Amino acid sequence: MSQSIASQGGAASHLPPNDPGPHSKRLGMIAVVATFGGLLFGYDTGVVNGALKPMKEDLGLTPFTEGFVVSALVIGAAFGALIGGRLSDRFGRRHNILMLAGVFALGTLGCVLSPTWETLGAFRFVLGLAVGGASVTVPVYLAEVAPFEKRGSLVTRNEVMIVSGQFAAFVINAVIFNLWGEHGAIWRFMLLIAVLPAFALFFGMLRMPESPRWLSSQGRDADALEVLRQVRSPERAEAEMAEVHELAEEEEKAQTGGWSDLAVPWVRRLVFIGIGLGIVQQVTGINSIMYYGTQLLEDSGFSADGAILANTLNGLFSVLGISVGIMLINRVNRRTMLIAGYTLITTFHILIGLSALLIPDGSTIKPYIILVFVVCFVFSMQGTLGPLAWLMLAEIFPLKIRSLAMGVCVFVLWLVNAAVAFGFPPLVSSLGIAPTFFIFAALGVASWIFIVTSVPETRGKTLEEFEEEYSAKYSAKK
């Protein structure tokens, strides 16, 4: 372990090693509890995939109202990300997660009890506020609690929980539908399952500490040191606290911490890079598969029953991809993983398009070939760009603007998510599968260029070291 840490750069020479001990178990428990927010994120975004058909029949949804109900959560998530970042900066990461757990429970129960599509859409928007808030707050909380050596694997556990929540939604929907599908209100029970992790998140976070970085930014150094002593070895806690405190004093002198920070060129550049990361993650089309995977597979030639069954493979390979990504993320540089991942993603986009274009309709092998390439795309995406985009958004911003900047970036991410979700069904309907995935491939090439030319490396650096190095490097270029 000491050898791998030493190879990660200068950070190890500044801080003593974080030897295993009781603090390691405490840190692990914090990660488990906080990532229930990711599980809720995944379940609530994935559950509509299987619940939509009985929901449509029970509430008499038209194509327009169906689109409204599905998109209400995504639009809510965009605003939840923007608002959640500011609330997290003002009241603390832990406080915000506790509040979000309550909003998750309220939104879920409201959806379950909705008598009309209008009410359902309104509570889906409320649920989206919680999803968006969690997408901002949980990664920042984990990044600020984790030691730099484990930050990659710890933050990406949230992404594991997101895709696990989506996979669980696909499987639970299939089980419930097969057992009680004849009941018109069965979709309500599919949605109700989500209230259980919401309660677990709330009661679990009551026993979790606040972010030491946030406490220090509020002048509560004694509290911050106490938290670090819970999740670090004693020597490491003292050394890391000194580093956090030194940087906080520098930021105070620089008057950072709000929208005025965008006047600082290197901060503005990082925000633009963060926005770019959110955009390139979404234009892969990954959420088109998560929301409309069954429809895509039916269009490729599967029967309705076969498509529902095959769609669970997308959830399974999301989980497998994230698992592989976590094994690599602390061993491979961020930029290397992003570049390699986008090369694979774009390649599979092209292969999906070519399969749909060149293999004749009605061929028994066509849907299976498309399924293989779709699954390979999902695996590649979730093993690289999926977790890394969230991780790097939690890593690249200065402390006092971290949640605000991440909120802005994730707001844009969710808006692009909504645009792709709105545009995918009519695009496939009017152009077909092949041209749609060729468009994704073209966007992939542009995204690859952005990553190569603009995205910085963050691996092997503390959050404070990256901020200091990047600001000095960018200022020197000017």
Side-chain angles (χ1 to χ4, degrees):
M1 174 65 76
S2 60
Q3 183 178 0
S4 64
I5 291 174
S7 68
Q8 291 185 44
S13 64
H14 295 300
L15 295 171
N18 189 44
D19 297 325
H23 59 276
S24 302
K25 294 182 179 179
R26 177 65 168 160
L27 183 63
M29 181 57 67
I30 290 170
V32 169
V33 172
T35 53
F36 270 98
L39 182 71
L40 285 159
F41 176 155
Y43 191 91
D44 286 323
T45 54
V47 70
V48 73
N49 198 327
L52 197 55
K53 184 176 180 180
M55 184 188 296
K56 188 188 306 184
E57 295 173 355
D58 189 34
L59 298 180
L61 300 181
T62 66
F64 172 79
T65 56
E66 177 185 344
F68 172 80
V69 167
V70 172
S71 63
L73 185 144
V74 181
I75 299 300
F79 287 97
L82 194 62
I83 298 168
R86 293 303 285 167
L87 292 176
S88 177
D89 277 341
R90 182 171 182 180
F91 298 109
R93 318 323 189 194
R94 173 181 174 272
H95 178 278
N96 211 43
I97 294 172
L98 282 167
M99 180 194 69
L100 291 170
V103 178
F104 269 120
L106 174 65
T108 298
L109 293 174
C111 289
V112 169
L113 300 174
S114 294
T116 64
W117 66 265
E118 294 94 340
T119 307
L120 178 61
F123 277 105
R124 288 270 296 171
F125 181 85
V126 171
L127 202 53
L129 294 175
V131 168
S135 72
V136 171
T137 308
V138 173
V140 168
Y141 176 71
L142 292 174
E144 294 181 350
V145 171
F148 79 91
E149 303 95 329
K150 296 183 178 180
R151 192 171 66 234
S153 60
L154 207 65
V155 173
T156 51
R157 287 189 195 182
N158 190 56
E159 185 73 13
V160 174
M161 293 294 271
I162 292 173
V163 297
S164 296
Q166 290 175 331
F167 182 41
F170 297 161
V171 173
I172 289 171
N173 284 352
V175 171
I176 291 177
F177 189 79
N178 280 312
L179 291 177
W180 302 290
E182 69 277 7
H183 299 288
I186 195 63
W187 62 271
R188 300 180 189 272
F189 294 94
M190 296 175 178
L191 271 59
L192 183 62
I193 299 294
V195 80
L196 299 178
F199 288 152
L201 178 64
F202 179 82
F203 290 108
M205 284 303 298
L206 289 175
R207 299 178 61 85
M208 297 299 107
E210 183 52 85
S211 157
R213 264 75 177 179
W214 182 84
L215 290 168
S216 179
S217 72
Q218 303 299 304
R220 297 167 58 182
D221 289 340
D223 292 335
L225 180 57
E226 178 59 32
V227 173
L228 282 174
R229 285 171 174 161
Q230 293 181 38
V231 294
R232 304 284 193 277
S233 62
E235 299 81 6
R236 178 63 172 266
E238 297 285 347
E240 203 165 317
M241 186 63 221
E243 187 175 86
V244 171
H245 189 261
E246 181 181 351
L247 187 66
E249 288 181 346
E250 293 175 3
E251 288 181 329
E252 189 69 30
K253 293 176 184 177
Q255 297 181 340
T256 60
W259 290 103
S260 60
D261 276 298
L262 296 181
V264 181
W266 68 271
V267 174
R268 184 169 62 246
R269 180 177 175 84
L270 283 177
V271 172
F272 286 141
I273 290 171
I275 290 172
L277 282 170
I279 291 173
V280 301
Q281 188 202 49
Q282 291 302 308
V283 297
T284 60
I286 183 62
N287 283 316
S288 302
I289 306 301
M290 295 297 106
Y291 301 156
Y292 303 108
T294 301
Q295 175 184 321
L296 174 67
L297 294 174
E298 280 192 58
D299 290 344
S300 71
F302 278 101
S303 66
D305 291 342
I308 291 172
L309 180 61
N311 186 58
T312 61
L313 291 177
N314 290 322
L316 175 61
F317 276 83
S318 288
V319 176
L320 294 176
I322 288 291
S323 301
V324 171
I326 284 182
M327 289 190 292
L328 295 175
I329 209 162
N330 284 336
R331 296 178 173 87
V332 181
N333 285 345
R334 315 287 196 238
R335 280 173 49 86
T336 302
M337 283 188 69
L338 287 173
I339 293 168
Y342 234 111
T343 301
L344 289 171
I345 289 166
T346 304
T347 299
F348 289 123
H349 282 157
I350 294 171
L351 290 173
I352 292 168
L354 290 175
S355 300
L357 180 66
L358 300 178
I359 302 176
D361 291 336
S363 170
T364 56
I365 199 173
K366 180 175 183 175
Y368 293 97
I369 291 177
I370 291 177
L371 172 63
V372 168
F373 289 141
V374 168
V375 164
C376 288
F377 154 59
V378 170
F379 180 86
S380 301
M381 165 66 191
Q382 299 292 27
T384 56
L385 185 60
L388 277 175
W390 293 107
L391 171 60
M392 295 192 74
L393 287 177
E395 288 181 329
I396 64 176
F397 300 118
L399 172 63
K400 287 194 174 182
I401 200 174
R402 188 167 295 145
S403 288
L404 169 62
M406 191 168 177
V408 171
C409 295
V410 178
F411 175 75
V412 175
L413 181 153
W414 280 109
L415 289 182
V416 177
N417 182 337
V420 173
F422 289 147
F424 185 76
L427 200 62
V428 172
S429 177
S430 60
L431 299 180
I433 294 174
T436 299
F437 277 87
F438 289 147
I439 291 172
F440 283 139
L443 292 171
V445 173
S447 300
W448 189 92
I449 294 171
F450 163 75
I451 291 166
V452 169
T453 58
S454 302
V455 176
E457 183 58 62
T458 59
R459 176 175 171 260
K461 301 177 177 72
T462 66
L463 300 177
E464 292 74 26
E465 276 186 323
F466 171 75
E467 176 182 340
E468 183 178 350
E469 291 179 11
Y470 189 84
S471 61
K473 180 179 178 181
Y474 189 76
S475 299
K477 288 183 177 180
K478 290 297 182 181

